[in-house]
Amino acid sequence: MLVPLVVGVDGSESSLEAVDWAVDEAARHAVPLHLMHAAAPGQDASGPITAASQRAGGGAAGVPLSSKVLRDDAASALVGEGHKAFALVLGSSGLGELSGLLLGSVSLAVAARADCPVIVVRGSQEHRAGRFGSVVVGVEDGEGSDTAVEFALREAHIRRCELVAVHAWSAPLGALSEPLPGSWYALEAHRRPPAQVLDDALRGPAKQYPDTTVTRRVIEGPARRALLGAAAEADLLVVGAGARHGRPGLQLGLINHALLHHAPCPVVVVPQK
């Protein structure tokens, strides 16, 4: 049985835009689409599900569609559905008491707790419609990006578009700005040259998709600025998130928080496995 792509809906235009995006994504991956709405006990929950079902029905043909209403808070309901989901898809703003705060509350809470990829659909119609032909993935030094790179390569492959792998780096204060042999990298054995970080991260996953074009970008400067700049001409921005030490959930970090709030295109947070 195929695991579904799950969309959280609340009746807002933002969540309906997420449904539009999710229909296309489900069709690309040939997985069912599952609409989920969380409502308080006694609250009429038919409206958001009906609107979302009608919207999904007008999208890509052939996508199996189901829906569910859970009497729970939105974040907990979505995290629970994520245990058996291909990914969770959310809009970037919502209705009701969370109006204008969905990203700051529900989406961030879900992204920090879910054990499957979480996709926040944001940005202009041009970015949501996949018109740039590019998927961007952020690659950090270490193992925190492995699963994100695999996810991003699969997305680029199935979309038949380019993958842009971005690694941002900063030299220690007073060091050479160019990572030359024998420079400060030789003094910091735990650090790899920026180009090697990308090569190491891409080597294994790229073998699975040899026909996918991969562009490497090594950018000196803050990762936030580098990734937002690359996302300006992307259909999707993919980042990883590692587990918290000694606590359940994921460590999103300041960079991922900034991207979820400000990226010009849909953002995927992929838990590191």
Side-chain angles (χ1 to χ4, degrees):
M1 182 177 179
L2 294 174
V3 293
L5 183 64
V6 177
V7 191
V9 299
D10 63 3
S12 67
E13 181 59 28
S14 176
S15 75
L16 294 178
E17 290 172 352
V19 170
D20 294 338
W21 188 93
V23 169
D24 292 338
E25 182 75 352
R28 277 190 286 266
H29 290 276
V31 297
L33 184 64
H34 182 60
L35 308 176
M36 200 217 73
H37 176 62
Q43 180 183 356
D44 182 10
S46 60
I49 286 292
T50 299
S53 297
Q54 291 174 346
R55 190 82 163 236
V63 175
L65 183 66
S66 61
S67 63
K68 180 190 293 185
V69 174
L70 292 178
R71 302 295 177 175
D72 200 350
D73 70 272
S76 296
L78 284 162
V79 170
E81 291 294 300
H83 293 321
K84 50 184 181 296
F86 176 82
L88 293 171
V89 182
L90 303 170
S92 59
S93 60
L95 292 173
E97 64 183 46
L98 297 177
S99 179
L101 298 175
L102 180 61
L103 180 59
S105 55
V106 175
S107 294
L108 286 177
V110 172
R113 293 166 52 191
D115 55 11
C116 71
V118 174
I119 303 162
V120 176
V121 178
R122 53 178 300 110
S124 67
Q125 172 60 25
E126 186 178 26
H127 286 87
R128 300 194 307 271
R131 295 176 183 171
F132 288 92
S134 172
V135 172
V136 171
V137 61
V139 179
E140 60 181 309
D141 196 359
E143 299 180 351
S145 304
D146 293 356
T147 313
V149 169
E150 293 172 4
F151 182 98
L153 264 166
R154 181 178 60 182
E155 280 293 322
H157 170 75
I158 207 160
R159 291 165 179 258
R160 299 181 181 178
C161 73
E162 174 190 25
L163 176 72
V164 178
V166 177
H167 174 60
W169 67 279
S170 296
L173 186 64
L176 295 173
S177 61
E178 293 294 329
L180 300 174
S183 68
W184 52 272
Y185 275 100
L187 302 177
E188 298 190 28
H190 64 285
R191 300 192 68 167
R192 295 171 291 168
Q196 185 181 338
V197 172
L198 285 178
D199 289 342
D200 290 348
L202 293 164
R203 185 176 295 111
K207 292 178 180 178
Q208 303 178 53
Y209 307 105
D211 297 330
T212 300
T213 300
V214 178
T215 298
R216 295 162 169 80
R217 291 187 188 174
V218 172
I219 300 174
E220 183 179 4
R224 174 185 181 275
R225 185 175 67 195
L227 291 170
L228 288 176
E233 296 182 349
D235 304 316
L236 196 65
L237 172 60
V238 183
V239 292
R244 293 181 181 179
H245 297 293
R247 297 176 59 188
L250 303 174
Q251 179 62 52
L252 291 182
L254 294 177
I255 295 172
N256 285 1
H257 275 256
L259 298 176
L260 287 167
H261 278 94
H262 302 295
C265 67
V267 180
V268 189
V269 177
V270 182
Q272 173 66 18
K273 299 296 186 184

